[in-house]
C-alpha cells in the first residue's frame, strides 16, 4: 500500500502525522477539494509522463492542464502520459494516489509554476483517500524536485 511508503518517507522528517486520511475518495481534483473543503485549484495534482530515460512527474494546480507545446519545448519530447496500469510499476503509487513522495528511484519530479499563487497546497499522499497540506517551500524540499517549470495552461484556454 503506497500510503505506507509515503508515511515512512515523511517519518524521516517527523511529518507523518500531517498526512490526512479521508473517509471519502480524493482520487480526482474535484473529489479531493470537496473532501478537504478547499478550492479545486489548491489540489496539487501529480501527472505522470513517459520520457526517453524514464518517468517524469509534473505537480500542477488543480485548475490547469499540461500545455503540449510548452511541455515539448521544455523536455524535447511529446507529452505521453503513463497508462493506469503502468503507474504503480513505474512510480510506486496507483492512479488516484500518485504523489511526488516515496517514489521509485530515478523518477524525476518538477513543480509547475501554476502552484506559485498559493501559500499552501494539497498533494496526494500515496492513496486515493489521502493528502498532506504543504507550503510551497515544503513541497519543493520534500518532493525532491529538480526545478520549477512552466508547462501548463488554464483549462478554459485548452484549445489543443
Amino acid at each position: 500500500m503506497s500510503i505506507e511508503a509515503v508515511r515512512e518517507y515523511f517519518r524521516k522528517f517527523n511529518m507523518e502525522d500531517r498526512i490526512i486520511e479521508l473517509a471519502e475518495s480524493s482520487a480526482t481534483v474535484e473529489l479531493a477539494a470537496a473532501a478537504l473543503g478547499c478550492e479545486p485549484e489548491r489540489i496539487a495534482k501529480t501527472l505522470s509522463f513517459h520520457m526517453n530515460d524514464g518517468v517524469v512527474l509534473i505537480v500542477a494546480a488543480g485548475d490547469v492542464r499540461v500545455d503540449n507545446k510548452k511541455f515539448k519545448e521544455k523536455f524535447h519530447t511529446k507529452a505521453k502520459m503513463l497508462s493506469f496500469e503502468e503507474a504503480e510499476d513505474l512510480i510506486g503509487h496507483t492512479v488516484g494516489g500518485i504523489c511526488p513522495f516515496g517514489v521509485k528511484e530515478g523518477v524525476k519530479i518538477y513543480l509547475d509554476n501554476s502552484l506559485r499563487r498559493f501559500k499552501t497546497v494539497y498533494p496526494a499522499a500515496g492513496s486515493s483517500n489521502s493528502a498532506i497540506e504543504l507550503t510551497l517551500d515544503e513541497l519543493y524540499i520534500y518532493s525532491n524536485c529538480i526545478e520549477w517549470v512552466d508547462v501548463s495552461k488554464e483549462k478554459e484556454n485548452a484549445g489543443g
Side-chain angles (χ1 to χ4, degrees):
M1 191 169 182
S2 61
I3 189 171
E4 292 308 321
V6 174
R7 193 180 316 284
E8 188 63 32
Y9 175 78
F10 278 117
R11 190 169 287 126
K12 295 184 281 189
F13 310 105
N14 293 318
M15 291 177 53
E16 71 273 18
D17 292 340
R18 290 179 54 189
I19 294 173
I20 303 163
E21 285 194 73
L22 302 156
E24 55 274 348
S25 175
S26 59
T28 67
V29 168
E30 293 76 18
L31 290 172
L36 293 163
C38 73
E39 305 84 2
E41 54 268 25
R42 286 187 55 217
I43 302 302
K45 62 184 176 183
T46 304
L47 305 168
S48 53
F49 298 91
H50 284 283
M51 292 297 259
N52 297 337
D53 57 349
V55 175
V56 165
L57 300 181
I58 307 286
V59 185
D63 63 342
V64 301
R65 60 181 267 174
V66 167
D67 181 311
N68 290 325
K69 182 179 177 192
K70 289 181 180 179
F71 187 97
K72 189 166 187 173
E73 286 172 3
K74 173 64 185 169
F75 296 108
H76 309 291
T77 189
K78 184 178 179 183
K80 183 175 184 255
M81 293 191 80
L82 268 60
S83 71
F84 189 90
E85 296 78 23
E86 294 171 312
E88 187 170 17
D89 186 46
L90 296 175
I91 301 167
H93 302 305
T94 58
V95 172
I98 295 175
C99 64
F101 319 111
V103 297
K104 291 192 172 186
E105 191 79 25
V107 173
K108 295 177 181 160
I109 299 161
Y110 295 86
L111 303 181
D112 185 73
N113 286 338
S114 60
L115 296 167
R116 289 188 184 262
R117 59 197 146 132
F118 307 109
K119 288 186 180 184
T120 64
V121 293
Y122 293 93
S127 72
S128 62
N129 68 326
S130 65
I132 185 168
E133 184 177 17
L134 297 172
T135 66
L136 294 187
D137 287 343
E138 288 173 328
L139 180 61
Y140 184 85
I141 292 165
Y142 298 119
S143 69
N144 293 308
C145 79
I146 294 171
E147 65 181 320
W148 286 94
V149 295
D150 178 17
V151 294
S152 69
K153 62 183 172 184
E154 293 179 26
K155 287 183 181 180
E156 297 81 44
N157 300 331

